[in-house]
C-alpha cells in the first residue's frame, strides 16, 4: 500500500479522494502529519494555490505530497468566483452563505453556464512539480436540490444530467466530476 499526503483538512474532500484512489493507497491529511494551522492560499490562480499548499506541506514534512484547488467559474461573472470560490461570501462564511450569494447574484440571469475546474499539484522528493487539471461543465440551478456532496453541489447540474451533484450518488459523481477527472490523470501518473 502506498501512502500519500493530501494537503487538506476537508473531510468530505478527503473521503471523495480516498474513494477514488481505492484500497491501494493510504491517504494522510493535514492533521495526520501534525499540521493544524491554516495553510496560506493567497495566489491569484488555482494553479498557484495548489502549488503553494503542496509546497507548504512538503517544507514541513519533507515528504512528497499533493494539493488541489478548485474554482467554480461562472460565465456571466467573468469566470468568478474562481479562485475565491471557497470564500465567495467572505472569510468565515459557510457553503450555504456562498450558495445564497451566488443565487442572489444570478437572479433573473438566463445564462447560467458554469464550470468547475480542479488543479492538482504534486511535489515529489526531487523538488519536481506536476500539475493535473480536471473540468466539468454545466449550469447553476435556480434553487438548491439534493443533500449529498459539499460546497456548491446542490446548485450545480453537470451537462448531460437532470440532477445536481448533490442529488447524484458519490459513485456516480466520482465518474464525472472535475476532481475525478483531475484525479484520474494523477492516478495514471502515480501508476506509471
Amino acid at each position: 500500500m502506498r501512502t500519500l499526503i493530501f494537503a487538506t483538512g476537508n473531510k468530505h474532500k478527503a473521503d471523495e479522494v480516498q474513494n477514488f484512489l481505492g484500497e491501494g493507497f493510504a491517504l494522510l491529511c493535514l492533521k495526520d502529519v501534525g499540521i493544524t494551522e491554516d495553510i496560506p492560499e493567497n495566489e491569484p490562480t488555482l494553479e498557484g494555490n495548489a502549488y503553494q499548499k503542496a509546497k507548504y506541506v512538503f517544507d514541513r514534512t519533507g515528504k512528497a505530497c499533493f494539493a488541489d484547488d478548485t474554482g467554480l467559474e461562472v460565465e456571466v461573472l467573468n469566470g468568478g468566483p474562481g479562485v475565491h470560490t471557497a470564500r465567495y461570501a467572505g472569510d468565515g462564511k459557510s457553503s450555504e452563505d456562498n450558495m445564497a450569494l451566488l443565487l442572489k447574484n444570478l437572479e433573473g440571469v438566463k445564462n447560467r453556464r458554469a464550470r468547475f475546474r480542479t488543479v492538482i499539484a504534486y511535489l515529489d522528493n526531487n523538488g519536481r512539480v506536476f500539475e493535473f487539471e480536471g473540468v466539468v461543465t454545466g449550469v447553476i440551478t435556480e434553487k438548491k436540490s439534493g443533500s449529498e456532496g459539499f460546497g456548491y453541489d446542490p446548485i450545480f447540474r453537470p451537462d448531460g444530467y437532470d440532477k445536481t451533484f448533490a442529488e447524484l450518488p458519490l459513485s456516480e459523481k466520482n465518474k464525472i466530476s472535475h476532481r475525478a477527472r483531475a484525479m484520474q490523470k494523477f492516478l495514471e501518473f502515480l501508476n506509471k
Side-chain angles (χ1 to χ4, degrees), residues 3 10 28 34-37 45 52 61-62 64 67 77 82 98 122 138 147 151 157 181 184 192:
T3 300
N10 183 323
L28 298 178
I35 297 174
T36 56
E37 66 272 22
T45 64
Q52 183 178 35
T61 65
L77 299 178
N98 290 335
Y122 174 72
S147 59
R157 186 177 65 236
R181 290 174 179 178
Q184 182 62 46
K192 283 184 181 175

Side-chain angles (χ1 to χ4, degrees), residues 56-72:
Y56 187 94
V57 174
F58 180 83
D59 288 347
R60 277 149 189 78
T61 65
K63 296 182 178 159
C65 62
F66 72 100
D68 76 336
D69 201 23
T70 295
L72 175 61

Side-chain angles (χ1 to χ4, degrees), residues 127-190:
R128 295 174 301 188
V129 180
F130 302 90
E131 287 184 359
F132 310 89
E133 181 185 73
V135 174
V136 64
T137 57
V139 295
I140 303 299
T141 58
E142 293 188 5
K143 60 182 180 160
K144 294 187 296 183
S145 188
S147 59
E148 298 298 313
F150 60 97
Y152 294 82
D153 286 358
I155 62 171
F156 183 82
R157 186 177 65 236
D159 289 342
Y161 287 78
D162 60 0
K163 295 179 176 179
T164 67
F165 269 168
E167 293 174 296
L168 294 173
L170 184 60
S171 60
E172 184 68 19
K173 179 186 172 191
N174 272 349
K175 291 177 187 171
I176 63 163
S177 78
H178 46 293
R179 185 166 292 108
R181 290 174 179 178
M183 284 300 300
Q184 182 62 46
K185 293 174 185 174
F186 182 41
L187 192 56
E188 287 168 8
F189 165 80
L190 291 173

Side-chain angles (χ1 to χ4, degrees), residues 2 7 12 33 35 40 64 67 81-82 90 96 101 110 113 133 164 175:
R2 294 169 67 184
H12 295 295
V33 294
I35 297 174
E96 291 295 320
L101 179 59
K110 285 190 166 67
R113 298 292 306 155
E133 181 185 73
T164 67
K175 291 177 187 171

Side-chain angles (χ1 to χ4, degrees), residues 30-103:
L30 294 175
K31 66 176 182 167
D32 300 322
V33 294
I35 297 174
T36 56
E37 66 272 22
D38 285 339
I39 297 177
E41 288 182 71
N42 48 23
E43 294 296 318
T45 64
L46 299 177
E47 292 83 358
N49 276 339
Y51 171 73
Q52 183 178 35
K53 290 187 280 187
K55 180 142 178 32
Y56 187 94
V57 174
F58 180 83
D59 288 347
R60 277 149 189 78
T61 65
K63 296 182 178 159
C65 62
F66 72 100
D68 76 336
D69 201 23
T70 295
L72 175 61
E73 301 171 343
V74 181
E75 276 186 16
V76 300
L77 299 178
N78 297 318
V83 74
H84 304 290
T85 295
R87 295 172 298 284
Y88 186 50
D91 289 336
K93 300 294 184 178
S94 68
S95 293
E96 291 295 320
D97 297 326
N98 290 335
M99 283 188 290
L101 179 59
L102 182 58
L103 291 175

